[in-house]
Amino acid sequence: MDRHAIVIGAGLAGSSAAERLAARGWRISLVERAATSGAGASGNLAGVLRPLPSVDDNRLARLTRAAFEYALTHLQALTTAGLPLRWGQTGVLHLARDERHAATQQRVVTEQEPASAYLRWVAREAASELAGWPVADGGWWFAGGGWVDPASLCRANLARHGAAVVPHYRRAVERIEHAAGCWRCFAGSGETIAAAPILVLANAGDARRFAATSHLPLRTARGQVSHLPATAGSAPAVVVCRLGYVTPAIDGLRCAGATFAVDDDEAGLRAADHAENLARLEFILPGYSRHIDAAGLGGRVGFRPLSPDRLPMIGAVADAAALDGQGAAATLADLRRVPGLFVVNGFGARGIVWSALAGELLACLIERSPPALAADLVAAVDPGRFLLPRQRQRLRTGGPQRRGSAPERGDD
Ligand SMILES: Cc1cc2nc3c(=O)[nH]c(=O)nc-3n(C[C@H](O)[C@H](O)[C@H](O)COP(=O)(O)OP(=O)(O)OC[C@H]3O[C@@H](n4cnc5c(N)ncnc54)[C@H](O)[C@@H]3O)c2cc1C
């Protein structure tokens, strides 16, 4: 087969997929409607890189751990290669939100005995010292975590393999078509933008526009982050989270966020959202926001692509049309797949955490080579899962996965 793929979308999802495929010798035609990479949700000044443990070490916890570890190796490799990635491995302090949460956090550490370089519990005094500010409770300390400038990660991914990735910026794909083993992407004018045997859809919420992926239960969550002016050397010098997050100073600004509103497409900054972020900041670092005026703040709005079960969608697109009239397939293996069509999407509030592992997994699935990830986790992110009877039932009845207006928050 011609090792040539089209990737639509130059955010964290698309740039990671392109990078991992190019590393294996593929040529990539990267199609992006914006003038540059990292112009969508992946364009914040900085976001948080850390995993999300749980008492029962559930799939989300195992996946975020695998993704976090893979991301660290990937970021280190990009840095070593001299690529213009901006990140800071400052450590992430994830404070307990109340006493009960503190007990849960401690239980995770006591029962799972993680390596201390990965996760430690720190009591209030030690947490205050790490934060450089008096805090209300102890929390998890991820010494290897930190902040990442996501747009710089997109740029570094796309630059890593030189001419193997050919970008087509300012080109919006209106339509896709598959004929004689070849996928074609068309502009609104009807002109072909790119053609290749493999097509990867990494275009976030916009993936719903294509008939083959219109069955995917994707939604978007508007998020506003506030930029706080920061003087050199001021606290915190580490990322601190507690139902929100605040980063160290980056270019004289720290990011505090973020709001989370499902199916809300207002693109402009809102004063009320800055006020919400400041209230969140006050909960993280009591007294910190007292002298900050919400009215004068800058910030950025982005739209997170959400999946109803909080797990990303990575892999071959299932042929939903083939199921029509036959009911749901019983297992993932029973599903017919659309030839040559793949998706990497649904990163929600964790794109910085997921993206490198997602790109690697996608490349393995395209090449049919075994991924270095447990089979149940590969199945957990299979985009075909939404066509299986249990998921279909949940989506139809608005069961546990859809309840509430905020199906996930990465910064909780
Ligand atoms: C406020 C906020 C705070 C966040 N904080 C964190 C955090 O702390 N940690 C973390 O891990 N994650 C965080 N995230 C989540 C993370 O940013 C997202 O999960 C991630 O950026 C999604 O990447 P993506 O590539 O799927 O989407 P995007 O970055 O949106 O990329 C999709 C791209 O596809 C392009 N596109 C769409 N349709 C078409 C088309 N038809 N033709 C051509 N191009 C098209 C778009 O222009 C866009 O560039 C945050 C997100 C927000 C909004």
Side-chain angles (χ1 to χ4, degrees), residues 8-14 31-34 38-42 44 47-49 171-174 202-204 206 209-210 221 223-225 245 258-259 300 302-305 344-345 347-353 411:
I8 304 178
L12 286 170
V31 188
E32 167 57 56
R33 67 185 173 194
S42 310
N44 284 345
V48 186
L49 173 67
R171 303 305 306 268
V173 177
E174 287 290 323
N203 54 331
D206 194 67
R209 78 160 55 238
F210 306 123
Q224 179 170 318
V225 69
Y245 62 89
T259 61
R300 189 174 186 276
F303 297 91
R304 310 166 179 94
V344 53
N345 209 321
F347 283 1
R350 298 194 180 85
I352 292 170
V353 188
D411 33 49

Side-chain angles (χ1 to χ4, degrees), residues 93-102 105 124 128 131 133-138 240-246 256-257 274-290 292 409 411-412:
L93 180 63
H94 180 166
L95 296 169
R97 49 186 174 266
D98 52 35
E99 270 179 32
R100 202 164 147 219
H101 190 212
Q105 287 191 330
R124 187 157 73 92
S128 299
W133 194 268
V135 296
D137 214 329
V240 192
C241 310
R242 193 182 188 217
L243 292 178
Y245 62 89
V246 57
H274 281 320
E276 194 183 317
N277 284 336
L278 289 185
R280 207 170 265 127
L281 177 63
E282 193 60 26
F283 185 61
I284 303 170
L285 302 173
Y288 198 94
S289 69
R290 205 169 295 148
I292 304 174
R409 294 194 58 104
D411 33 49
D412 274 8

